[in-house]
Amino acid sequence: MKDKALLRASTAMLVGLFAAMPAYGQVAQETPKPDTPSDLSANPSVPAPSSQQGATDEGEIVVTGLRRSLESAQAIKRNSDGIVDAIVAEDIGKLPDTFASAALARVSGVQVTRGAGEAAGVQIRGLPDISTTYNGREIFTAEGRFVAIQDFPAGTVAALEVYKSGTANLIEGGIGGQVNVRGRRPFDFNGFEISGSLNGVNWEQSSKMTWNGNLLISDRWDTGIGEMGLLINASYVGINYVDATREQSLVIATTNATNAPGVGAGVRYPDAQGRFTSNGDRYRPSANAAFQWRPTPDLEIYVDGLYQGYRSKDTNQWMFSPIFGGADFQLSNLTTRQGNANVAQSATVSGANTPDGYYTSANGKTDTYQVGGGAIWKRDNVQISGDIAYTNSKYTFDLVNIDYAFASSPVRNVDFESPGQDGGPTFNFVNFDVSDPANYITRGLFQEYLAVGGKDIQTRLDAQYDFDDDFFLKRFQVGFRFNDRDANRDRGAPYIDQLNGSSILGQRIPISALPVTVQATRPAFTYNSTFPIYSFAGISSQSIRNNLPALRAFFGAPEGLPAFNPTENFTANEKAYAVYGQVKYGFDLGGDMLIDGLVGLRAVRTKTRINGFLRDETNPANPLFSPVTAENNYVDYLPNLSARLQFTPEVQLRANYTQTRTRPNFLDLNPTLTIGQPPVIDPNNPPNPDDDNSNRRLITGGNPNLRPLTSNNYDLSLEWYFSRTGSLTAAIFRRDANGFISATPINYDDPAYGRVRFTRPENTGNTRFDGAEVQFTSFLDIDGLPDWAKAFGVQANATYVDSKGDLATALAGSPNVAGRIEPLDLDANGQPRTSGVVEKGRGQLDFSTTVTPMPNITIAFDIVNLLGNPLRRYREFNDAGDQYARQIVYLERTYSLGIRFRF
């Protein structure tokens, strides 16, 4: 069992310098309502900024700019049939967010993982199992189930809609929720529109400059065959980052009379430390276009397309410093924590295994295309819509790794938890020059080439009928969707650690003998002076790439890219048929009180067919390959039930129940099986009968019989909308999930292969997530304050998640690190501990200010990560709650100066 608590909070101060805003008054108090609240993605409801300017016929001032965008986002949340949060284009443009994922981090209940110069790993209420759509269509990257939200530059996005509870008309998938990215369309604007931006960004740790920019051109015309509109939008985002990490092992060792003479037994300490830096030069081109035609007031026809690109050239350097070894290994000068004699604070390490590491050059490339079209017909109470789209996405990854080891094992001084604000591990070497190439020898060459792809054809047909207002049934919806999806994966990853029949490490080849240039690595840890090793002798990514043919010849590797390994390849086809029905009901309870909601059911049939290979290494000199195919067919029924009680026009209570499910990834479903070589038993060193892991043949593979991850979801939300741009909302939620997937090694005796250790992905049991979130948004519209003060506002939100669930038995205790097998940490009852790594709270301060020297021209200056606070991850290792830092990660700080224009 495992318990985990997650707390995320964010606060943003919105500074209003709106020269285009003539006053802070508001128009009539009725909140604008979406056209179809239950299907925001298919019917964009946020008015375009250009259509928000000017005055009403009565001469009232219409609020523009950031206030209007907050008003539109609040209208989406307030009037939706589910629990939905949104952030619209003006929000994204006014805040220092380069990617859509960074903007999502400001939405209540949404968390992101920061690193590599961007925000990634989007989670909703602590769950990474989400689905992604673009304009209501499913979209993905390569063979994956969803798209990386950071692939959407902020300048190309009209709105981001986060569905925390599903409805029957939404595409299935994602127990965490669904994120819909809404692209811009020409009918969002009143007429001709040209806008864009250009920013120069300085990256502090890498000391590099990149450029970001976007350009949008849109127009609409009245013609003899109806109104038409065309929009073209292009964007480019550049990144050049350095991330630096101090870390140490999850394996907690124990002193004894041999390894720590004079100290005694029982003092705990992490048994390795490390230094990792990641340098990336990346860019993302993106473009979208949309055409809309309204031949009659009842009919709209549209076509749109999207291109997303990703290019990366990354350099990684890793240094691993063990605190374990042979007979000469000892800890001296050992100190313990104040008030705790059983937890080590610092020590001098001698006789430990030799430190090692690697230099990496990694290039990645993604191209994703989606094109689609459809029509919406409305007349009186009837609406019929249809859509068809084609998606094609490919990703390639090319990595070259040169492994090294120190020429000797120097004495090192380590601090397991350094003093100071950031804490965490540090180490330094005694009388050992890390900048001298003579102190490094070669261990081997690793290459990887990965090519994955996916494509689909998806189509849907929806119908809706709105009943008269005096009937308790308000709306009836039915629909059908079909999706035909293909996925493929090819990978080759050979490792060469033998040269001329003997170990490369044993030949002690200095790295200076390689056909590359050895030079000092790029300095890291700019924000922190705790770690003493800022740079060391290294091999740059550029030198690896420029000398790759010679490197391959030196190590005896074949020319060109690595050959694909059949057992790491698959092709897959998946067909999904979905039908749904849904009704909206509503009752007037008297006074200002009313109740409405949805009752619906979505039925989905999934058919999969995956082709792979079985590899039998019984004869290592001539392994046998046999094709294998697996098929599956199952049906899911996903009900939804919701109720919204409006106490007053400003206060409402929501209650929602839904069932969701997430299909397994194609890689996990791959039926490929690799049967390893028979174990070789040394008669002079027989296996330990007490070690259940020894003397076993290894078998690995996928699992085509995995079932979807399912969840019963319960949501309760109380919402108070006290102004057009002001709200205070709170929610509690629960997810009863079943079937999370983990790779589980199992030992057993097989009648054909003897003692085996079989590793493949399996479904686990039940997991419960409980949580709460609160959100507050308001401008300072307080009587008595001057007008300039009313241009300030606050957005704040916090999310708490607590989880408890079944884990696979093999996941308990400390992991196997660097090939060493360690005893499990046990709790007070003698059971394996399963404490996870917990990331501590981190404050990030971003600064953004703008000035408008002339109409339609704005100059913006942004700072991201002003404080430079690192990510701090820790793990408890005993019942007393003692913990060691796992990682201290220093992220980039950026300074951006640019110009925005709009005509």
Side-chain angles (χ1 to χ4, degrees):
M1 303 295 288
K2 178 180 179 181
D3 287 283
K4 179 181 178 182
L6 169 69
L7 178 64
R8 292 289 185 269
S10 65
T11 304
M13 181 67 73
L14 308 178
V15 182
L17 300 176
F18 305 128
M21 185 183 297
Y24 299 98
Q26 297 178 352
V27 294
Q29 288 300 308
E30 181 184 359
T31 303
K33 294 180 171 57
D35 294 333
T36 308
S38 60
D39 191 3
L40 301 173
S41 59
N43 297 279
S45 59
V46 180
S50 61
S51 66
Q52 299 161 3
Q53 300 174 0
T56 65
D57 293 339
E58 293 79 13
E60 296 172 308
I61 295 170
V62 177
V63 178
T64 62
L66 184 56
R67 281 179 176 263
R68 177 59 173 171
S69 67
L70 293 176
E71 179 182 322
S72 300
Q74 180 168 297
I76 292 176
K77 179 181 179 72
R78 182 175 184 177
N79 296 290
S80 65
D81 287 322
I83 296 180
V84 181
D85 278 284
I87 185 167
V88 299
E90 192 72 17
D91 292 336
I92 299 169
K94 290 292 185 182
L95 296 172
D97 299 323
T98 306
F99 301 104
S101 54
L104 273 178
R106 306 178 193 278
V107 174
S108 173
V110 176
Q111 299 85 42
V112 298
T113 301
R114 297 186 184 273
E118 60 192 29
V122 175
Q123 300 181 18
I124 300 177
R125 293 172 167 176
L127 288 168
D129 299 277
I130 65 173
S131 61
T132 52
T133 56
Y134 178 70
N135 289 335
R137 303 184 189 115
E138 186 176 16
I139 189 169
F140 49 83
T141 301
E143 92 289 20
R145 288 293 185 186
F146 56 87
V147 73
I149 303 296
Q150 66 268 26
D151 284 347
F152 289 95
T156 66
V157 174
L160 298 166
E161 297 153 350
V162 180
Y163 295 85
K164 300 174 184 177
S165 68
T167 53
N169 57 320
L170 293 178
I171 296 175
E172 67 280 354
I175 69 168
Q178 185 175 112
V179 176
N180 180 58
V181 180
R182 181 140 54 80
R184 301 174 186 268
R185 287 179 171 176
F187 285 0
D188 291 345
F189 304 95
N190 277 338
F192 178 75
E193 173 92 4
I194 180 170
S195 62
S197 66
L198 180 64
N199 292 70
V201 182
N202 180 66
W203 301 78
E204 184 169 333
Q205 290 199 135
S206 74
S207 301
K208 298 292 184 178
M209 174 76 76
T210 62
W211 294 93
N212 302 334
N214 72 280
L215 178 65
L216 179 148
I217 302 175
S218 179
D219 204 357
R220 56 195 293 181
W221 310 270
D222 287 320
T223 70
I225 56 174
E227 186 176 16
M228 296 183 180
L230 179 64
L231 177 146
I232 300 175
N233 192 13
S235 176
Y236 175 92
V237 175
I239 295 176
N240 196 306
Y241 72 92
V242 170
D243 286 351
T245 304
R246 302 184 277 122
E247 63 181 78
Q248 58 192 357
S249 173
L250 292 173
V251 178
I252 308 300
T254 307
T255 61
N256 54 50
T258 301
N259 64 28
V263 174
V267 179
R268 308 300 304 276
Y269 63 93
D271 76 344
Q273 294 186 319
R275 174 200 191 277
F276 180 76
T277 58
S278 176
N279 323 118
D281 184 7
R282 303 177 176 182
Y283 66 93
R284 284 183 168 89
S286 178
N288 66 287
F291 170 77
Q292 289 177 286
W293 174 30
R294 192 171 290 155
T296 71
D298 299 332
L299 179 63
E300 179 183 316
I301 300 171
Y302 59 88
V303 178
D304 56 60
L306 170 72
Y307 165 73
Q308 289 180 328
Y310 168 77
R311 306 291 186 269
S312 68
K313 295 182 178 180
D314 294 348
T315 302
N316 302 321
Q317 298 113 15
W318 166 242
M319 180 181 290
F320 177 75
S321 181
I323 311 178
F324 57 89
D328 296 332
F329 165 63
Q330 281 193 356
L331 299 175
S332 59
N333 301 323
L334 189 145
T335 65
T336 58
R337 287 185 184 173
Q338 186 175 1
N340 194 336
N342 295 320
V343 178
Q345 172 64 34
S346 64
T348 298
V349 179
S350 59
N353 286 356
T354 304
D356 56 33
Y358 56 74
Y359 316 108
T360 294
S361 173
N363 295 345
K365 177 183 177 181
T366 302
D367 289 301
T368 300
Y369 302 88
Q370 186 175 84
V371 60
I376 302 173
W377 179 80
K378 299 180 181 179
R379 177 169 295 178
D380 298 327
N381 296 350
V382 178
Q383 174 178 305
I384 300 175
S385 64
D387 188 272
I388 186 170
Y390 170 76
T391 309
N392 194 321
S393 180
K394 296 180 180 179
Y395 172 70
T396 57
F397 180 70
D398 176 10
L399 178 144
V400 181
N401 222 66
I402 297 177
D403 289 355
Y404 70 85
F406 282 8
S408 62
S409 181
V411 175
R412 49 259 200 196
N413 294 318
V414 302
D415 203 324
F416 302 107
E417 190 66 43
S418 60
Q421 179 181 356
D422 296 342
T426 64
F427 62 92
N428 202 5
F429 302 108
V430 179
N431 299 324
F432 189 89
D433 186 359
V434 295
S435 65
D436 185 356
N439 284 327
Y440 297 79
I441 59 176
T442 305
R443 287 193 299 134
L445 176 71
F446 174 72
Q447 300 178 84
E448 178 184 10
Y449 184 64
L450 174 69
V452 291
K455 59 183 178 179
D456 82 341
I457 295 178
Q458 54 185 297
T459 183
R460 64 170 178 83
L461 180 65
D462 302 276
Q464 173 179 307
Y465 181 81
D466 293 318
F467 296 94
D468 295 333
D469 290 340
D470 55 355
F471 190 47
F472 80 95
L473 292 181
K474 303 302 180 183
R475 182 188 308 124
F476 175 65
Q477 294 173 289
V478 294
F480 169 80
R481 181 177 183 271
F482 170 71
N483 184 39
D484 189 349
R485 171 82 188 273
D486 292 317
N488 61 273
R489 182 180 192 267
D490 292 288
R491 182 176 183 263
Y495 184 55
I496 299 176
D497 60 358
Q498 300 284 317
L499 187 60
N500 299 323
S502 63
S503 164
I504 292 177
L505 183 63
Q507 297 180 48
R508 301 186 63 81
I509 302 170
I511 61 171
S512 57
L514 300 179
V516 293
T517 300
V518 181
Q519 61 189 41
T521 61
R522 180 178 294 181
F525 303 99
T526 303
Y527 309 145
N528 183 266
S529 60
T530 302
F531 204 89
I533 303 175
Y534 286 86
S535 180
F536 56 96
I539 304 170
S540 70
S541 174
Q542 182 179 7
S543 180
I544 292 174
R545 292 293 167 181
N546 291 343
N547 298 283
L548 194 50
L551 270 172
R552 287 171 173 150
F554 181 92
F555 285 99
E559 296 181 356
L561 293 170
F564 291 135
N565 179 358
T567 56
E568 297 199 60
N569 307 343
F570 69 79
T571 60
N573 177 260
E574 179 181 87
K575 293 180 173 63
Y577 309 81
V579 295
Y580 75 88
Q582 183 169 256
V583 295
K584 180 173 183 177
Y585 64 90
F587 302 92
D588 190 342
L589 301 180
D592 291 331
M593 296 183 64
L594 59 87
I595 186 170
D596 62 7
L598 293 177
V599 178
L601 178 67
R602 187 177 186 91
V604 187
R605 181 183 181 186
T606 304
K607 298 174 63 177
T608 60
R609 179 183 175 89
I610 305 181
N611 304 306
F613 286 90
L614 185 149
R615 175 187 178 113
D616 190 340
E617 297 178 350
T618 300
N619 181 1
N622 186 27
L624 299 178
F625 294 90
S626 304
V628 59
T629 298
E631 297 183 350
N632 209 343
N633 189 343
Y634 54 90
V635 178
D636 294 298
Y637 298 96
L638 307 174
N640 64 284
L641 175 65
S642 66
R644 177 179 62 164
L645 175 61
Q646 291 183 310
F647 298 100
T648 71
E650 295 80 25
V651 180
Q652 59 189 27
L653 176 71
R654 298 180 187 271
N656 288 62
Y657 165 75
T658 60
Q659 284 189 6
T660 52
R661 67 104 177 90
T662 301
R663 297 184 181 99
N665 291 321
F666 291 109
L667 180 60
D668 292 328
L669 293 169
N670 182 9
T672 291
L673 201 66
T674 298
I675 302 171
Q677 302 175 17
V680 178
I681 301 176
D682 184 355
N684 299 318
N685 187 22
N688 183 354
D690 296 327
D691 184 2
D692 191 47
N693 294 320
S694 67
N695 193 29
R696 290 189 178 273
R697 176 183 289 204
L698 300 180
I699 301 178
T700 60
N703 187 353
N705 297 316
L706 289 171
R707 50 186 171 81
L709 167 63
T710 60
S711 179
N712 291 307
N713 312 313
Y714 309 88
D715 298 89
L716 190 66
S717 174
L718 182 62
E719 304 162 4
W720 176 32
Y721 300 96
F722 51 81
S723 73
R724 294 174 67 91
T725 56
S727 63
L728 175 62
T729 63
I732 57 176
F733 53 88
R734 176 168 178 156
R735 302 288 184 266
D736 289 331
N738 180 275
F740 279 102
I741 297 171
S742 63
T744 308
I746 301 174
N747 294 339
Y748 70 96
D749 293 336
D750 186 88
Y753 299 106
R755 287 167 53 87
V756 302
R757 184 171 176 83
F758 185 26
T759 302
R760 68 172 184 174
E762 290 186 349
N763 293 104
T764 59
N766 297 317
T767 305
R768 186 213 70 215
F769 297 86
D770 293 314
E773 65 185 32
V774 62
Q775 177 176 266
F776 175 78
T777 301
S778 181
F779 278 86
L780 303 182
D781 295 321
I782 302 174
D783 292 340
L785 288 181
D787 285 347
W788 64 265
K790 296 180 180 180
F792 287 82
V794 175
Q795 282 187 310
N797 68 75
T799 304
Y800 174 83
V801 181
D802 178 76
S803 64
K804 185 176 183 180
D806 301 328
L807 291 179
T809 303
L811 296 181
S814 298
N816 228 346
V817 180
R820 63 194 189 280
I821 298 175
E822 298 290 338
L824 297 173
D825 284 321
L826 304 179
D827 62 19
N829 298 317
Q831 298 299 313
R833 294 186 54 82
T834 58
S835 298
V837 176
V838 176
E839 183 175 307
K840 292 198 171 183
R842 170 183 176 270
Q844 174 161 320
L845 178 63
D846 299 336
F847 173 81
S848 179
T849 185
T850 62
V851 61
T852 304
M854 63 184 68
N856 305 318
I857 299 293
T858 298
I859 298 173
F861 175 68
D862 302 325
I863 304 176
V864 174
N865 194 21
L866 182 61
L867 301 177
N869 292 330
L871 297 173
R872 291 175 291 182
R873 300 177 178 128
Y874 286 78
R875 177 177 179 261
E876 294 182 0
F877 61 88
N878 60 22
D879 285 335
D882 292 323
Q883 58 184 9
Y884 277 117
R886 165 59 174 163
Q887 292 176 321
I888 310 294
V889 185
Y890 294 88
L891 306 177
E892 273 287 5
R893 179 190 288 135
T894 63
Y895 305 85
S896 173
L897 179 64
I899 185 171
R900 298 197 294 258
F901 62 89
R902 180 175 181 176
F903 299 96

